mmCIF file of all heavy atoms in Angstrom:
data_model
loop_
_atom_site.group_PDB
_atom_site.id
_atom_site.type_symbol
_atom_site.label_atom_id
_atom_site.label_comp_id
_atom_site.label_asym_id
_atom_site.label_seq_id
_atom_site.Cartn_x
_atom_site.Cartn_y
_atom_site.Cartn_z
ATOM 1 N N ASN E 23 -1.942 18.503 0.551
ATOM 2 C CA ASN E 23 -2.117 18.333 -0.892
ATOM 3 C C ASN E 23 -3.250 19.196 -1.457
ATOM 4 O O ASN E 23 -3.296 19.446 -2.654
ATOM 5 C CB ASN E 23 -2.381 16.860 -1.216
ATOM 6 C CG ASN E 23 -1.187 15.988 -0.883
ATOM 7 O OD1 ASN E 23 -0.108 16.174 -1.442
ATOM 8 N ND2 ASN E 23 -1.360 15.065 0.053
ATOM 9 N N ASP E 37 -6.182 3.051 -2.620
ATOM 10 C CA ASP E 37 -5.093 3.557 -1.779
ATOM 11 C C ASP E 37 -4.304 4.671 -2.463
ATOM 12 O O ASP E 37 -3.411 5.259 -1.857
ATOM 13 C CB ASP E 37 -4.165 2.420 -1.342
ATOM 14 C CG ASP E 37 -3.562 1.676 -2.511
ATOM 15 O OD1 ASP E 37 -4.265 1.453 -3.511
ATOM 16 O OD2 ASP E 37 -2.375 1.309 -2.443
ATOM 17 N N LEU E 42 -9.752 11.988 -2.485
ATOM 18 C CA LEU E 42 -10.190 12.383 -3.822
ATOM 19 C C LEU E 42 -11.673 12.746 -3.901
ATOM 20 O O LEU E 42 -12.110 13.376 -4.834
ATOM 21 C CB LEU E 42 -9.846 11.269 -4.826
ATOM 22 C CG LEU E 42 -9.885 11.621 -6.318
ATOM 23 C CD1 LEU E 42 -8.966 12.794 -6.637
ATOM 24 C CD2 LEU E 42 -9.525 10.429 -7.175
ATOM 25 N N CYS E 182 2.081 -16.750 -16.131
ATOM 26 C CA CYS E 182 0.916 -16.890 -15.256
ATOM 27 C C CYS E 182 -0.354 -17.054 -16.078
ATOM 28 O O CYS E 182 -1.185 -17.929 -15.804
ATOM 29 C CB CYS E 182 0.797 -15.661 -14.346
ATOM 30 S SG CYS E 182 2.210 -15.452 -13.260
ATOM 31 N N ASN E 184 -0.634 -18.141 -19.092
ATOM 32 C CA ASN E 184 -0.664 -19.446 -19.758
ATOM 33 C C ASN E 184 -1.059 -20.562 -18.805
ATOM 34 O O ASN E 184 -1.780 -21.480 -19.184
ATOM 35 C CB ASN E 184 0.700 -19.750 -20.384
ATOM 36 C CG ASN E 184 0.920 -18.950 -21.649
ATOM 37 O OD1 ASN E 184 -0.049 -18.537 -22.304
ATOM 38 N ND2 ASN E 184 2.169 -18.714 -21.988
ATOM 39 N N ILE E 253 -16.975 -19.386 -17.669
ATOM 40 C CA ILE E 253 -15.973 -18.684 -16.854
ATOM 41 C C ILE E 253 -16.651 -17.544 -16.098
ATOM 42 O O ILE E 253 -17.344 -16.716 -16.700
ATOM 43 C CB ILE E 253 -14.827 -18.121 -17.725
ATOM 44 C CG1 ILE E 253 -14.165 -19.234 -18.531
ATOM 45 C CG2 ILE E 253 -13.787 -17.432 -16.837
ATOM 46 C CD1 ILE E 253 -13.068 -18.765 -19.447
ATOM 47 N N ARG E 266 -18.368 -23.262 -1.742
ATOM 48 C CA ARG E 266 -18.364 -24.508 -0.974
ATOM 49 C C ARG E 266 -19.668 -25.278 -1.178
ATOM 50 O O ARG E 266 -19.688 -26.504 -1.146
ATOM 51 C CB ARG E 266 -18.135 -24.213 0.519
ATOM 52 C CG ARG E 266 -16.648 -24.077 0.862
ATOM 53 C CD ARG E 266 -16.440 -24.037 2.379
ATOM 54 N NE ARG E 266 -16.804 -22.739 2.940
ATOM 55 C CZ ARG E 266 -15.971 -21.703 2.989
ATOM 56 N NH1 ARG E 266 -14.734 -21.831 2.542
ATOM 57 N NH2 ARG E 266 -16.350 -20.538 3.481
ATOM 58 N N LEU E 344 5.971 -5.365 3.424
ATOM 59 C CA LEU E 344 5.497 -5.838 4.718
ATOM 60 C C LEU E 344 6.640 -6.363 5.568
ATOM 61 O O LEU E 344 7.452 -7.155 5.129
ATOM 62 C CB LEU E 344 4.428 -6.910 4.547
ATOM 63 C CG LEU E 344 3.366 -6.807 5.630
ATOM 64 C CD1 LEU E 344 2.298 -5.801 5.237
ATOM 65 C CD2 LEU E 344 2.780 -8.147 5.947
ATOM 66 N N TYR E 370 37.384 2.968 -2.424
ATOM 67 C CA TYR E 370 37.798 1.688 -2.992
ATOM 68 C C TYR E 370 38.738 1.825 -4.163
ATOM 69 O O TYR E 370 38.913 0.896 -4.915
ATOM 70 C CB TYR E 370 36.552 0.903 -3.395
ATOM 71 C CG TYR E 370 35.767 0.524 -2.190
ATOM 72 C CD1 TYR E 370 34.701 1.302 -1.772
ATOM 73 C CD2 TYR E 370 36.157 -0.566 -1.429
ATOM 74 C CE1 TYR E 370 34.011 0.977 -0.629
ATOM 75 C CE2 TYR E 370 35.477 -0.893 -0.286
ATOM 76 C CZ TYR E 370 34.394 -0.124 0.109
ATOM 77 O OH TYR E 370 33.721 -0.456 1.241
ATOM 78 N N SER E 412 31.053 -21.196 5.639
ATOM 79 C CA SER E 412 29.869 -20.671 5.002
ATOM 80 C C SER E 412 29.321 -19.407 5.636
ATOM 81 O O SER E 412 28.406 -18.815 5.138
ATOM 82 C CB SER E 412 28.770 -21.729 5.008
ATOM 83 O OG SER E 412 28.439 -22.003 6.344
ATOM 84 N N ASP E 490 33.712 -24.647 -18.244
ATOM 85 C CA ASP E 490 33.929 -24.847 -19.671
ATOM 86 C C ASP E 490 33.334 -23.708 -20.466
ATOM 87 O O ASP E 490 33.348 -23.683 -21.662
ATOM 88 C CB ASP E 490 33.313 -26.163 -20.108
ATOM 89 C CG ASP E 490 31.853 -26.211 -19.745
ATOM 90 O OD1 ASP E 490 31.428 -25.355 -18.936
ATOM 91 O OD2 ASP E 490 31.149 -27.064 -20.231
ATOM 92 N N THR E 598 32.586 2.547 -11.762
ATOM 93 C CA THR E 598 33.808 2.811 -12.501
ATOM 94 C C THR E 598 33.770 2.127 -13.848
ATOM 95 O O THR E 598 34.183 2.691 -14.848
ATOM 96 C CB THR E 598 35.046 2.322 -11.716
ATOM 97 O OG1 THR E 598 34.770 0.993 -11.269
ATOM 98 C CG2 THR E 598 35.336 3.226 -10.556
ATOM 99 N N LEU E 660 1.516 -27.552 -17.354
ATOM 100 C CA LEU E 660 1.626 -26.241 -16.735
ATOM 101 C C LEU E 660 3.052 -25.768 -16.579
ATOM 102 O O LEU E 660 3.311 -24.665 -16.189
ATOM 103 C CB LEU E 660 0.938 -26.269 -15.368
ATOM 104 C CG LEU E 660 -0.550 -26.529 -15.478
ATOM 105 C CD1 LEU E 660 -1.153 -26.665 -14.104
ATOM 106 C CD2 LEU E 660 -1.235 -25.445 -16.272
#
Side-chain angles (χ1 to χ4, degrees):
Chain E
N23 295 299
D37 58 321
L42 195 57
C182 298
N184 285 335
I253 303 178
R266 276 190 284 275
L344 216 85
Y370 293 96
S412 63
D490 56 346
T598 48
L660 296 175

